[in-house]
Amino acid sequence: MPPVHDWRPALVAADAVVGDHGSVTLYGVALGKPVSLAAHGDEAVPGTAGAELAQVAPRLAPDAELLPQVVDLLRLPAGRRAQYEAVTARAFKDPGTALERLREAVYELLRLPPPSTDPPRPRALVAPANPAAPVTSWRVSTDLLSDRAASGALSLAVRRFPVSVATEQPETARSFSHLAVQPAEEHDRTLVESASVLLGTAPAPDLDAARVWAAGALARLPGSLLAATGVPTGVCLVSSRDGQSVEVSCPDGTFTDPGLAASAVYACLRAGIAPSEIEVSLSLDCPDADSMRLKLRRFCP
């Protein structure tokens, strides 16, 4: 929020519009939002919706505290829309005729007769493309909640965030962090070369093919420690640089996410626990996510 002495901003809060007599404030009025004007200049054309709005809307006091004024504005009765009916009616009058009326005004200002042809038809706006891109790199944090001796199974809390919005998490003796990347999809070479875990984009035909893929990925990217990919049966193979591989599966037979499988193996290795013949309980830090159990066992080709 700008300083109190600067009354030029148009929007202060999602439920209150504080601004000048411009279009944002008019849209707020039309939506029934509480409105207060912070400024009103001489550029408003008399007889327009903006000029009428300036006559009926309350004003902010520049020499008073801003917050109490906004709070009072939000407490206005729900029927506030009625006082602005004339303003909104003028602002949104004759929808669909803007091009025709604009052409008439332009030719009138030019002192030329308008052409005999029909005015242009308004073009439909093209639907905007989805700007969201698939996530191909994650910052992953794993917390060791209980060891195998205490609960019969290793218990981990896993948090994953896209690298674009993630922050570095401090590590402790029981909390670990790593970068996981899909090298075939990630365009940032720096992230690919910095990743501790490499993830396959598509399942391999079988476990032997998954092992071959992992060996090739680790050979191309010598800074990585693990490579993980799934197979059509739902099992995931996590391979390390020393040639050892761990087969990770869900007891219920559902597909094992390679990223989660790799997180479990990575946490085991960092904690000094052999990732073989054990069960791992994962608690995911996301809404409505149930904990899942994974079985880890050494893969013997």
Side-chain angles (χ1 to χ4, degrees), residues 8-23:
R8 289 172 295 177
L11 189 63
V12 167
D15 288 328
V17 176
V18 180
D20 58 18
H21 54 275
S23 59

Side-chain angles (χ1 to χ4, degrees), residues 125-258:
L125 295 176
V126 178
N130 184 3
V135 179
T136 55
S137 54
W138 296 261
R139 178 68 60 184
V140 185
S141 297
T142 52
D143 296 319
L144 185 61
L145 301 180
S146 64
D147 57 29
R148 192 177 182 186
S151 62
L154 190 67
S155 181
L156 297 172
V158 180
R159 300 185 302 278
R160 297 190 293 181
F161 296 94
V163 168
S164 58
V165 297
T167 57
E168 288 281 353
Q169 298 296 319
E171 291 196 348
T172 68
R174 301 175 68 87
S175 299
F176 317 107
S177 178
H178 69 271
L179 175 63
V181 170
Q182 292 179 339
E185 303 293 333
E186 176 57 59
H187 298 299
D188 189 336
R189 189 67 183 176
T190 302
L191 290 176
V192 174
E193 293 176 348
S194 303
S196 297
V197 174
L198 305 175
L199 303 176
T201 304
D206 51 43
L207 289 175
D208 288 328
R211 193 163 181 260
V212 171
W213 172 86
L218 292 170
R220 290 190 301 272
L221 297 164
S224 301
L225 302 177
L226 300 174
T229 189
V231 298
T233 60
V235 176
C236 180
L237 192 72
V238 182
S239 300
S240 60
R241 183 163 294 283
D242 62 4
Q244 300 295 317
S245 297
V246 178
E247 186 178 337
V248 184
S249 61
C250 292
D252 59 6
T254 57
F255 177 74
T256 305
D257 183 339

